Amino acid sequence: MNRILLASAFLLVSISAVFADGIPSAVPTAVSPVPAAVSPAPKAPAPKLVEPHLHIARSNLVGHARIALTFDACMGQADERILSTLVRERIPATIFVTARWLKRNPEALAVFLQNPDLFELENHGQNHIPAVDTPTLIYGIASAGSPQAVRQEVEGGAAAMVAAGIPAPHWFRGSTAKYDLSAIGEIRAMGYRIAGYSVNGDGGSLLGAVITEKRIASAKDGDVVISHVNQPTHAAGEGVAKALVDLKAKGTQFVRLEDVEDTGDDKTTE
């Protein structure tokens, strides 16, 4: 009996040794070094953006402030509330049009061209892309991102205007009205003056009618007002139309940018 037990024990030890040879040790004899965490590549610094101001020469006449009305026609349709008021009241204005807007609004373009004494048409770009030559987002809109793309935005807008029968533009205003300084230099080298502003009339057409009316009606001698003429469903358009009548009743002298001397900061006009 003892011999049988001893034999069994010997067999179990032998089998355990065989299986142990095939099982890796829980603690390796040589531990490989853990690779260090890779640091993310540093982000490129955001470009320094400017939103230039523009003023025109004052009239210096009490009760007859001189104001330049400028309107962006970005995309969408023409706002007849504003357009009809400008025509009916014979109020001159400078309209910045994109190639995209021109394609969709031939009737409004015809009104502009039929009233050359009222409307100065200038360049708002080809596709409504911010004229910033490094990649960034502005109000959620991707910038042009390179000098070549800035040039395309400017030249594409001008080409569409000439093809539509509009005289070659001399002013440029980019989408969002924000730029980096290098892009300003590039656009100026192309022969354009860059149109800033001094009064934001409608907050990108997102303000209500009452506050829009108050903002525009508060414009002073030498101000350049920016508003939008491409959002007929927005309440701001109603406020713009009312403000135009308010200003005219106050004896305001309305001028286009081409009619008067001006001063822009950030080397946008000098």
Side-chain angles (χ1 to χ4, degrees), residues 11-258:
L11 181 61
L12 288 172
V13 171
S14 299
I15 292 171
S16 299
V18 170
F19 278 99
D21 287 343
I23 300 174
S25 171
V27 181
T29 56
V31 179
S32 299
V34 177
V38 178
S39 300
K43 292 184 179 179
K48 179 183 177 181
L49 302 181
V50 296
E51 191 168 359
H53 294 94
L54 180 67
H55 289 85
I56 57 171
R58 298 176 180 177
S59 72
N60 292 319
L61 298 174
V62 177
H64 296 282
R66 179 183 293 154
I67 294 171
L69 298 172
T70 69
F71 292 93
D72 288 358
C74 312
M75 295 169 282
Q77 303 295 329
D79 191 332
E80 291 296 333
R81 296 169 299 182
I82 299 172
L83 183 53
S84 62
T85 301
L86 291 170
V87 174
R88 182 183 67 251
E89 301 293 333
R90 307 309 294 170
I91 295 175
T94 303
I95 314 294
F96 287 85
V97 297
T98 66
R100 296 174 68 176
W101 188 87
L102 287 174
K103 290 179 181 178
R104 298 188 62 179
N105 295 276
E107 296 85 0
L109 173 60
V111 173
F112 291 146
L113 295 179
Q114 290 163 7
N115 293 274
D117 59 322
L118 293 182
F119 300 115
E120 170 191 2
L121 301 180
E122 297 292 351
N123 189 357
H124 196 33
Q126 182 176 21
N127 291 308
H128 201 246
I129 296 173
V132 174
D133 61 14
T134 54
T136 191
L137 289 176
I138 307 172
Y139 304 134
I141 305 174
S143 66
S146 71
Q148 296 79 11
V150 169
R151 176 174 288 274
Q152 178 59 45
E153 175 71 1
V154 177
E155 290 183 343
M161 293 178 69
V162 172
I166 302 169
H170 302 288
W171 286 87
F172 176 80
R173 175 182 285 157
S175 167
T176 74
K178 291 180 182 288
Y179 315 82
D180 53 354
L181 296 179
S182 54
I184 287 176
E186 293 155 14
I187 297 166
R188 293 287 289 125
M190 296 170 66
Y192 287 90
R193 301 167 79 79
I194 297 175
Y197 62 90
S198 58
V199 175
N200 187 337
D202 62 0
S205 82
L206 299 178
L207 297 178
V210 173
I211 189 171
T212 295
E213 181 183 1
K214 288 182 178 178
R215 280 194 179 195
I216 298 176
S218 69
K220 296 178 176 58
D221 197 13
D223 273 334
V224 175
V225 179
I226 182 176
S227 298
H228 291 76
V229 70
N230 66 298
Q231 296 289 356
T233 64
H234 290 194
E238 178 185 347
V240 171
K242 289 182 178 179
L244 300 180
V245 177
D246 294 343
L247 287 171
K248 184 178 179 181
K250 289 165 59 176
T252 300
Q253 177 187 354
F254 298 101
V255 296
R256 303 169 300 184
L257 293 182
E258 66 181 354

